[in-house]
Amino acid sequence: MSQVILITGGSRGIGAALARQAAARGYAVCLSYASKRAAADAVVAEIRAGGGQALAVQADVAEEGDVLRLFAALDATFGRLDALVNNAGILETQMRVEDMGAERIRRVLATNVLGAFLCAREAVRRMSTRHGGTGGAIVNLSSRAARLGSPGEYVDYAASKAAVETLTLGLAKEVAAEGIRVNAVAPGLIDTEIHADGGEPGRVARLAGGVPMQRGGTADEVARAVLWLLSDEASYTTGTVLDVAGGR
Ligand code: NAP
């Protein structure tokens, strides 16, 4: 039986690259998406065409009912869970904190923080030896923003990623003796569509010169780091944050 990986936000960007690479390494892939069904279906079709197993489920990670439905679909189709990647994340239009409305901040925190908590909870309930599971690994997508702060752009997003890093640290210690490793990856400037959501599709190109390696990163480069943390190669690594940021 293949190892099973659940990737939230697997329809585009880093999540889609991760889904493709995970399938190539033999994982059966369950990916979730928020609204872009055609993009999710295309990733699933590509994996199946390559002989792999894949399932796409629409589920808003900020909604508990959707998360429960996502895990029920995973259980029904694959019957096990070995790896969770909390990848779904959003940012909103660049602005200063003094201009942010409560609803915007609530949306960002609900998706990036509450969503990661709910999915981690469901994964622990399935993986932990305390609950009869056989262990597993979780990787949370943080961001270099957690420690840079994103002033003038999205301090709410940066703060949400700092929360993701603390979730990683605390949960890692909580479940370390129960067969589960929990780590985070903090990407720097990665070329995906998320920057357009902030109102600046060309943001990576604008800031690339300030990166020590003089370029933005690719979704595939982040995916490889995530897969290493999930693998047995990282068997003594838990509670860490791995920067994938070209030195930024
Ligand atoms: P992206 O290209 O914008 O893709 C976001 C993915 O998340 C899509 O699959 C989207 O689904 C899904 N999603 C969004 N809101 C969701 C929700 N409420 N419920 C379920 N799924 C949801 O983003 P990305 O750049 O690949 O980023 C992936 C992760 O890496 C995020 O956590 C992000 O914060 C983090 N990160 C990215 C960068 C970067 O420079 N790109 C840097 C640091 C950290 P739909 O396709 O249906 O919309």
Side-chain angles (χ1 to χ4, degrees):
M1 173 80 192
S2 303
Q3 296 240 304
V4 176
I5 186 171
L6 171 59
I7 302 163
T8 65
S11 48
R12 292 182 292 126
I14 292 166
L18 187 55
R20 292 187 192 97
Q21 285 191 29
R25 291 177 197 206
Y27 282 100
V29 177
C30 181
L31 60 93
S32 74
Y33 63 99
S35 61
K36 299 209 164 48
R37 181 176 175 178
D41 285 347
V43 176
V44 167
E46 197 181 322
I47 291 171
R48 289 184 182 159
Q53 300 177 68
L55 172 74
V57 181
Q58 188 286 324
D60 181 347
V61 292
E63 295 292 334
E64 187 174 24
D66 283 21
V67 171
L68 294 176
R69 185 167 49 71
L70 168 63
F71 277 81
L74 172 86
D75 292 341
T77 303
F78 298 114
R80 60 182 284 167
L81 178 62
D82 302 281
L84 165 69
V85 183
N86 273 315
N87 167 77
I90 58 165
L91 49 74
E92 301 212 0
T93 312
Q94 294 175 357
M95 65 177 68
R96 290 166 56 97
V97 170
E98 71 222 44
D99 297 322
M100 290 179 185
E103 272 314 309
R104 168 212 166 105
I105 300 168
R106 210 189 307 274
R107 275 194 302 276
V108 170
L109 295 178
T111 303
N112 298 1
V113 183
L114 177 62
F117 265 89
L118 293 174
C119 292
R121 182 191 74 190
E122 291 307 308
V124 168
R125 287 176 177 173
R126 286 160 177 78
M127 293 172 174
S128 172
T129 52
R130 189 166 182 251
H131 298 290
T134 56
I138 298 173
V139 171
N140 299 317
L141 266 292
S142 177
S143 168
R144 284 295 290 127
R147 282 158 286 144
L148 295 171
S150 306
E153 293 190 319
Y154 14 71
V155 175
D156 52 350
Y157 170 81
S160 78
K161 294 302 186 178
V164 165
E165 293 193 2
T166 305
L167 162 64
T168 302
L169 179 66
L171 183 62
K173 291 177 176 176
E174 206 167 276
V175 299
E178 299 166 23
I180 306 175
R181 294 182 301 103
V182 186
N183 291 289
V185 166
L189 293 165
I190 309 301
D191 193 14
T192 72
E193 293 168 355
I194 203 170
H195 307 284
D197 295 339
E200 190 186 0
R203 180 168 176 268
V204 175
R206 174 173 65 85
L207 296 172
V211 177
M213 285 182 72
Q214 297 290 301
R215 66 172 179 88
T218 66
D220 276 323
E221 289 177 307
V222 178
R224 284 196 286 273
V226 172
L227 284 168
W228 177 75
L229 283 169
L230 292 174
S231 77
D232 285 342
E233 298 289 313
S235 55
Y236 199 53
T237 301
T238 198
T240 63
V241 180
L242 177 57
D243 291 348
V244 182
R248 190 167 186 250

